[in-house]
Tab-separated table of all heavy atoms in Angstrom:
chain	number	residue	atom	x	y	z
A	63	GLU	N	-3.907	7.385	-24.687
A	63	GLU	CA	-4.534	6.720	-23.531
A	63	GLU	C	-4.271	5.224	-23.509
A	63	GLU	O	-4.262	4.599	-22.442
A	63	GLU	CB	-6.047	6.955	-23.519
A	63	GLU	CG	-6.465	8.394	-23.359
A	63	GLU	CD	-6.672	9.083	-24.691
A	63	GLU	OE1	-6.116	8.612	-25.706
A	63	GLU	OE2	-7.408	10.086	-24.712
A	222	MET	N	-7.007	-6.044	35.628
A	222	MET	CA	-6.054	-6.885	34.932
A	222	MET	C	-4.626	-6.583	35.370
A	222	MET	O	-3.806	-7.482	35.572
A	222	MET	CB	-6.189	-6.691	33.423
A	222	MET	CG	-5.307	-7.605	32.593
A	222	MET	SD	-5.631	-7.424	30.836
A	222	MET	CE	-5.166	-5.714	30.584
A	486	ALA	N	6.101	12.992	-9.632
A	486	ALA	CA	5.283	14.130	-10.049
A	486	ALA	C	4.701	13.924	-11.446
A	486	ALA	O	3.596	14.374	-11.743
A	486	ALA	CB	6.110	15.414	-10.010
A	716	TYR	N	34.790	0.963	4.321
A	716	TYR	CA	34.652	0.906	5.769
A	716	TYR	C	33.724	-0.259	6.118
A	716	TYR	O	33.122	-0.887	5.242
A	716	TYR	CB	34.068	2.211	6.319
A	716	TYR	CG	34.927	3.421	6.034
A	716	TYR	CD1	34.701	4.216	4.899
A	716	TYR	CD2	35.964	3.784	6.892
A	716	TYR	CE1	35.485	5.326	4.635
A	716	TYR	CE2	36.755	4.898	6.629
A	716	TYR	CZ	36.511	5.658	5.498
A	716	TYR	OH	37.289	6.752	5.237
Side-chain angles (χ1 to χ4, degrees):
E63 297 93 338
M222 184 175 63
Y716 299 94

